[in-house]
Amino acid sequence: MCQTIDRPESVIRKKSINRPESGIRHFPLMCFMLGSILILQANFITKSAASLDAASLDIPRLTAEDIVSPLEWTYPFAGHEFYRYKAKIDKKIKAYRSKLTNTQHCEMPLFKGEFGYELAGIVPWAYYKAQDCQMTTVGRPGTKYLYYFSKEHSIQKSQGNEPQRSSHRLPKDSPFGESPHFHNDKFPTSGWVPPPYKNFFKMTNLKLDKPLLIISNKYTMEWDDGPIN
């Protein structure tokens, strides 16, 4: 015979309460474990990059002159391909400089102005001069590969509170004159030859048969006026 048992209402209400799922209950522990895994992976990547066999890969260690300070965090993530390419370019520059036999020496002074003015107004001028002499150059951090064609290039950092770069006019005898402001139809016709960067720094395993296209999307107010350069 079946007997009907009246269950107290409080028990029914207690049974109907939604219990938290086990995943939610253990969420803090899961976060802790995930964070620990990520930290271990980051340490592994950093140690792996630091312990690269530079001899077997022909990879030189990067120096302070090679990397601008804000980008140093990318060092462990650059990958072997970058180091192989860098080593190849460094070797190519060394070979290029070893073939410079001109006995006449010349030099370019340090340019502390804006990077764009150096790239357009100083480097092609130096390359033009280097065709007839052994060029010695000096530049701010980040210019090491701009002057691959010089016999010797050194880096000069700013001292104290001096900025690395600031507003400077070009040397008086530069192909542009003193004014660094110019437009595409004002490039010099003499004393100015841009270095063949595309040919020198190209990767042989990549096919680059298209014209070089540079997009300059700078559009900013300057000197309380509209865009000028």
Side-chain angles (χ1 to χ4, degrees):
M1 177 182 293
C2 294
Q3 184 178 0
T4 302
I5 300 176
D6 294 330
R7 303 178 67 183
E9 187 176 341
S10 61
V11 176
I12 297 175
R13 285 201 304 270
K14 189 175 182 181
K15 289 283 187 180
S16 63
I17 295 176
N18 292 328
R19 297 286 186 183
E21 296 294 334
S22 59
I24 299 177
R25 190 164 58 244
H26 296 297
F27 184 72
L29 178 60
M30 294 168 62
C31 289
F32 173 77
M33 294 176 63
L34 179 60
S36 300
I37 293 173
L38 291 176
I39 292 174
L40 289 173
Q41 287 181 334
N43 289 336
F44 174 76
I45 293 174
T46 304
K47 290 179 180 179
S48 297
S51 61
L52 287 174
D53 187 352
S56 61
L57 294 176
D58 195 16
I59 297 171
R61 292 296 183 186
L62 298 184
T63 66
E65 297 178 359
D66 299 321
I67 299 182
V68 179
S69 179
L71 298 180
E72 288 182 355
W73 66 272
T74 64
Y75 174 72
F77 308 98
H80 292 182
E81 189 62 31
F82 167 77
Y83 299 118
R84 290 193 182 95
Y85 172 73
K86 181 181 179 300
K88 180 179 179 180
I89 293 300
D90 287 339
K91 187 180 296 184
K92 189 174 182 179
I93 291 176
K94 186 177 181 179
Y96 179 93
R97 289 173 173 170
S98 67
K99 297 177 182 178
L100 298 176
T101 57
N102 198 312
T103 57
Q104 182 178 349
H105 293 271
C106 58
E107 61 183 28
M108 289 293 290
L110 171 68
F111 183 68
K112 302 179 182 179
E114 297 178 41
F115 174 80
Y117 296 148
E118 181 169 14
L119 187 61
I122 301 295
V123 176
W125 184 26
Y127 184 71
Y128 168 80
K129 286 187 172 184
Q131 307 307 305
D132 299 316
C133 64
Q134 285 197 24
M135 174 65 67
T136 299
T137 54
V138 58
R140 289 304 198 196
T143 60
K144 175 180 177 179
Y145 295 99
L146 291 183
Y147 295 93
Y148 74 87
F149 53 85
S150 66
K151 182 67 174 180
E152 180 181 350
H153 181 73
S154 59
I155 299 296
Q156 185 179 114
K157 299 180 180 179
S158 61
Q159 301 296 323
N161 295 326
E162 179 191 8
Q164 292 288 5
R165 293 182 181 273
S166 58
S167 179
H168 282 277
R169 302 183 75 82
L170 296 172
K172 292 182 179 180
D173 55 342
S174 79
F176 284 103
E178 287 187 280
S179 177
H181 299 285
F182 51 87
H183 299 277
N184 291 343
D185 59 342
K186 302 297 182 182
F187 283 109
T189 56
S190 62
W192 187 87
V193 179
Y197 288 133
K198 181 179 177 180
N199 290 333
F200 191 86
F201 293 100
K202 67 181 179 181
M203 299 176 67
T204 55
N205 58 332
L206 294 179
K207 186 178 181 181
L208 302 175
D209 57 352
K210 302 296 182 182
L212 179 63
L213 174 64
I214 299 177
I215 299 176
S216 177
N217 60 354
K218 176 183 177 183
Y219 191 87
T220 183
M221 302 289 288
E222 296 186 25
W223 302 294
D224 299 321
D225 202 348
I228 295 178
N229 56 352

